[in-house]
Amino acid sequence: MLPGFIERLLDATTIPDIGAVFHQAMAHLGFEHALYAGRFMLSVPRSVMQENPVVLSNLPPRLIEQAQQLRDLHRDPWIEWVLNNDGDIAARDLLARGVHSPSLALAADHGVGAVQIVSLRDKVLNGVGAVLAVPFQGAGDHHLRERWALAGRDVRVLSWVMHMRIATMHRHPAKATLTPRQREVLGWRSSGKTVAETAMILGITPATVEKHMRLAREALGVDTTPQAVLKAHVTHQLFGPVTGATLPRGEDGEGKGFHRFAALKNRI
């Protein structure tokens, strides 16, 4: 049965679709409640892109609401454990180390304190994630041990596949849309062309190239052209430079862009 759920995860095209399949699979494996949280693109400077975590949960809504109001949630012991360890651990074993977890204490108050924590550290490049699995509301530690002994391996595999699938998705559409000319200019600049070379290739003036780069930086909310290139790339707006056969006609004369590009190629 697990291969069928994995196939559906791989075929899913949206984050909500993935969440629906994940929770169905977890219920089938004996865990009626589960939470997944993942962050990606950790190597991208926050000045360029600050992506919100992906969270998929069917825990009691009141619990989630109260957990979001906790101070310094990012320093909670279970989150620190996930960031520094591989594998999985039961909440009871983590708490037995003498740590205090406000969020796990809150979960216990809501009847979902019997939790298995799965770390997804280093499963994808520049990403981190975790899954919390609960047998059912009101479950005790003995229920968790029994169900984890039966299905723990499948839960780990399911979690890994889902985490990797989400990492490859276009998770958040760009808020700012570049014009075709801005994409062209950034595309050539990302290929190492200077302003003058980009102007010659496109058949426009260097001043016009500078104008398009300035407008692109403003649209993307960044300060420098390298930041604009990076943000356009990670938001899937930057396409590879066009070939000479498909270059647009120059703004200062019909067909001049192609001839200037040909002249530039002869000089390189």
Side-chain angles (χ1 to χ4, degrees):
M1 192 67 179
L2 182 62
F5 285 117
I6 289 178
E7 184 176 4
R8 290 173 59 193
L9 281 177
L10 297 176
D11 287 340
T13 58
T14 69
I15 299 293
D17 288 344
I18 287 179
V21 174
F22 171 64
H23 288 123
Q24 290 172 15
M26 290 294 288
H28 175 77
L29 294 172
F31 297 89
E32 294 181 7
H33 296 285
L35 178 144
Y36 162 83
R39 290 195 63 189
F40 304 93
M41 298 196 300
L42 298 180
S43 63
V44 177
R46 291 198 170 193
S47 59
V48 175
M49 173 68 69
Q50 186 170 358
E51 186 178 36
N52 293 326
V54 176
V55 178
L56 303 172
S57 171
N58 66 352
L59 291 171
R62 181 59 178 163
L63 167 60
I64 298 300
E65 179 183 339
Q66 292 177 345
Q68 291 173 339
Q69 297 173 3
L70 293 174
R71 297 183 58 184
D72 298 326
L73 182 60
H74 63 286
R75 296 179 181 175
D76 197 285
W78 77 263
I79 295 180
E80 292 186 347
W81 184 90
V82 164
L83 295 175
N84 293 287
N85 295 274
D86 299 311
D88 58 85
I89 187 172
R92 67 179 183 278
D93 295 331
L94 179 62
L95 297 175
R97 300 178 180 182
V99 301
H100 173 65
S101 168
S103 62
L104 291 179
L106 185 62
D109 291 341
H110 285 264
V112 288
V115 181
Q116 194 76 18
I117 304 163
V118 180
S119 171
L120 299 174
R121 187 184 73 149
D122 296 334
K123 292 298 182 285
V124 299
L125 185 64
N126 301 320
V128 68
V131 165
L132 307 185
V134 179
F136 54 89
Q137 197 162 10
D141 289 335
H142 64 288
H143 297 113
L144 178 63
R145 284 193 297 269
E146 292 172 357
R147 298 198 180 191
W148 195 255
L150 291 173
R153 180 178 179 275
D154 286 347
V155 170
R156 287 193 295 269
V157 172
L158 179 75
S159 301
W160 296 343
V161 172
M162 177 182 65
H163 186 56
M164 290 186 285
R165 176 68 184 101
I166 292 175
T168 63
M169 296 186 70
H170 186 192
R171 294 176 296 278
H172 301 289
K175 294 181 180 179
T177 303
L178 299 176
T179 66
R181 182 61 94 186
Q182 289 166 2
R183 289 198 297 269
E184 283 182 320
V185 167
L186 288 180
W188 285 111
R189 295 288 281 126
S190 72
S191 299
K193 302 304 181 185
T194 66
V195 170
E197 290 170 339
T198 300
M200 180 173 289
I201 291 169
L202 297 178
I204 57 180
T205 66
T208 303
V209 172
E210 294 280 10
K211 180 193 74 172
H212 287 304
M213 289 195 302
R214 173 178 57 79
L215 293 175
R217 291 193 298 268
E218 292 176 356
L220 294 169
V222 297
D223 297 324
T224 68
T225 296
Q227 288 177 340
V229 169
L230 178 58
K231 189 166 185 177
H233 173 69
V234 299
T235 56
H236 303 275
Q237 296 191 76
L238 186 60
F239 308 105
V242 292
T243 64
T246 58
L247 280 171
R249 299 183 183 277
E251 293 178 357
D252 54 354
E254 188 169 317
K256 288 185 179 180
F258 174 79
H259 296 299
R260 290 186 178 186
F261 177 63
L264 178 63
K265 286 179 64 179
N266 294 331
R267 290 166 42 197
I268 297 176

